Amino acid sequence: MSIICKKLLLVLLITWTSMGLVQNAIAYEVVSGNCSDANECVVFLKNPVPTQDKLCNSSDFSVTWTPGDGKYLIQCRSSGSDEDNVVWIVDSNARIFARLNYGRFIKKSVLEKTPNMEIPDKFRSRSLCSPIDMSMLRAGDFVLLDKRPADEGENPYCYAPVYLMLKGGKLVVSINGGSARRSDPDHAVHSVSARDKQLLNRLLDVLRQWHP
């Protein structure tokens, strides 16, 4: 191999390596965040620029977790409706990854303090579809509010509480009255692709270094 070819190959190798290092260095940016007195943290995120590194195409991208327990809820809220939201649940200690295609999170401590609260919505506040099950709320890791049709004429929607618990190596989804059935299409738990797992792990690395 000629000297010129060797130099050209070296330049190409350096370029490819540099591109790989840059891509691996791309990180999610925490725009704002805080932790409550109940040790529930919430941060809002900015996506990395390259499309291939995006988990969420919405500007409303956030995470809630309790520091130290390794369990995270990552939320990508749709600009259209809550029914189009995407939620990832991760237990980094048990290596559990799950995806839900509905709901929006709310801090457990908020519902504990105000179980009959009105839920802010686009055009007006909505009521809960049913009372909060306090035992399920306290036992669970996270709670989602799932926007559902209601029978009330003036307020055609309400929010149903959905309790999420990570235990026994899986995600358990419960609603008022008990665990949701696996065959229930409204509360289906979906698998997470290898690509998204990689992006989620990259995001978790950022969160572990974040301090309020």
Side-chain angles (χ1 to χ4, degrees):
M1 185 181 291
S2 68
I3 296 177
I4 295 176
C5 289
K6 287 181 179 179
K7 287 183 177 181
L8 179 59
L9 180 60
L10 180 60
V11 170
L12 288 173
L13 286 172
I14 292 174
T15 302
W16 291 335
T17 302
S18 299
M19 289 175 65
L21 290 174
V22 169
Q23 182 171 345
N24 290 332
I26 294 171
Y28 294 92
E29 178 185 344
V30 175
V31 178
S32 63
N34 62 76
C35 297
S36 68
D37 294 337
N39 205 27
E40 291 176 289
C41 296
V42 175
V43 298
F44 293 90
L45 300 162
K46 181 180 179 181
N47 273 302
V49 175
T51 303
Q52 68 269 19
D53 288 317
K54 282 190 176 183
L55 268 171
C56 175
N57 289 319
S58 170
S59 59
D60 195 340
F61 187 28
S62 54
V63 184
T64 183
W65 79 103
T66 298
D69 71 359
K71 300 173 182 178
Y72 301 84
L73 185 154
I74 300 99
Q75 173 178 269
C76 179
R77 290 192 66 182
S78 168
S79 58
S81 66
D82 286 349
E83 292 90 337
D84 297 323
N85 292 351
V86 177
V87 172
W88 293 272
I89 308 296
V90 179
D91 185 337
S92 58
N93 296 324
R95 297 182 180 179
I96 299 172
F97 294 84
R99 192 186 86 241
L100 308 174
N101 294 337
Y102 64 88
R104 58 191 259 203
F105 78 77
I106 185 171
K107 290 181 181 178
K108 290 172 55 179
S109 57
V110 171
L111 288 177
E112 284 182 316
K113 291 178 181 178
T114 318
N116 297 317
M117 67 179 294
E118 293 282 308
I119 309 302
D121 204 0
K122 278 188 175 181
F123 302 108
R124 57 169 294 181
S125 295
R126 312 287 183 184
S127 60
L128 292 168
C129 301
S130 57
I132 296 295
D133 186 316
M134 298 306 291
S135 61
M136 283 189 176
L137 179 67
R138 295 188 179 109
D141 294 298
F142 305 104
V143 61
L144 291 178
L145 297 176
D146 185 19
K147 192 173 183 179
R148 310 291 297 173
D151 295 329
E152 302 174 18
E154 294 183 0
N155 199 351
Y157 297 99
C158 61
Y159 278 95
V162 180
Y163 313 94
L164 307 177
M165 179 186 294
L166 290 152
K167 69 174 184 178
K170 63 180 181 180
L171 172 65
V172 178
V173 179
S174 299
I175 54 178
N176 282 0
S179 298
R181 296 180 180 179
R182 290 185 179 181
S183 58
D184 181 356
D186 291 332
H187 301 98
V189 178
H190 302 276
S191 60
V192 177
S193 68
R195 169 195 174 274
D196 284 358
K197 285 181 181 179
Q198 183 180 19
L199 295 177
L200 286 165
N201 280 322
R202 187 183 300 177
L203 171 56
L204 298 190
D205 288 339
V206 173
L207 297 176
R208 292 186 187 104
Q209 299 174 37
W210 176 82
H211 299 284

